[in-house]
Structure formats: structure tokens, C-alpha cells
Amino acid sequence: MTEYEFEYWQEVTQNSKYRWMEDAITRLNGNGMLFYTGGEEGVYMRVSPENKLTVGIYEDAFPHIGDALFKIKAEHQYDSANEAFQAVLALGGKQFLADMCSDDGVKRTFAEPEEPGFGGFEMKM
């Protein structure tokens, strides 16, 4: 992990302190959906690819949620992802929905700053 990536993940974790966040990496890797709030320690809701909803607490999410230790407090198997997500919405309530539909303030890139120019190429006109 580069310094820029580390700073990015620290910002993501900090922004989750007072709002619900989705871990897009979980979804993009085909591992279901993971929603969490609380910063380095908080609560989470996860829907597995098999439509199992687990809810619980997590700790030690440093520098990001992927490094957290999860403790399941309850789980339920649903027939479909739609049913499981409806349960997530019911559990999360209005605040969850508002957080999911608003800008979380996190910059979407952690690429290192580029040098001016075109990487050694020149444009001639």
C-alpha cells in the first residue's frame, strides 16, 4: 500500500464515523454487500452472495474496513438478494437510506500526483 492509498483509506474510515458507508470492494469482488458505520469500531450489515444477512459489530478497521475483526450478533437466510436488501433498509432506517443517497465526501482516487506533461511525449501542432 502506498502512502497515497493509506491516506485515502484513512479518509474513508474517518468518514464512516458518523454515517453509513458501503464497502464497494466487497461488492466489486463478488462477495455480496457490506455496509458499516462507526469509524475504526462500529456496526455492520453484510449480505452474502448466498443472500444471508449478518449484522454485528466490528473493531480494528485500520486503515480500512477490510482489516476489521467482525463479530456476528445475528444472521438470517433470505430467499433472494432483494429480500435481504429490504431487511437492510428496514434495519438501517431513514438515516441509512439518506447516507446511501448522499455524497460521502471521499475523493474517489488515490493515485499519486502526476508530473506535468505527458510522460515524456510532446504534442506538436
Side-chain angles (χ1 to χ4, degrees):
M1 179 179 297
T2 70
E3 178 183 342
Y4 296 101
E5 292 170 334
F6 183 77
E7 289 172 4
Y8 169 81
W9 285 117
Q10 282 187 311
E11 182 180 355
V12 170
T13 300
Q14 183 62 32
N15 283 354
S16 75
K17 197 166 190 172
Y18 302 108
R19 60 173 289 118
W20 283 99
M21 304 278 283
E22 179 189 6
D23 179 44
I25 302 301
T26 299
R27 183 175 30 82
L28 292 171
N29 285 335
N31 295 323
M33 297 176 282
L34 173 62
F35 305 99
Y36 63 99
T37 185
E40 290 183 29
E41 297 179 1
V43 297
Y44 76 94
M45 298 184 282
R46 180 171 187 263
V47 178
S48 73
E50 295 80 27
N51 308 319
K52 181 183 282 188
L53 172 61
T54 57
V55 296
I57 60 173
Y58 69 88
E59 56 189 32
D60 299 327
F62 181 80
H64 57 75
I65 194 69
D67 291 324
L69 173 64
F70 295 91
K71 296 179 183 175
I72 298 171
K73 297 295 184 179
E75 61 185 359
H76 185 82
Q77 179 67 49
Y78 288 91
D79 292 330
S80 69
N82 186 42
E83 287 180 16
F85 189 67
Q86 286 177 15
V88 166
L89 292 172
L91 289 169
K94 290 179 184 178
Q95 188 62 52
F96 175 83
L97 189 57
D99 290 347
M100 289 296 103
C101 294
S102 65
D103 180 13
D104 60 17
V106 177
K107 294 178 226 151
R108 295 293 174 221
T109 182
F110 49 82
E112 296 181 28
E114 293 183 17
E115 294 290 324
F118 297 96
F121 291 99
E122 284 187 36
M123 288 187 69
K124 295 182 180 182
M125 300 202 176

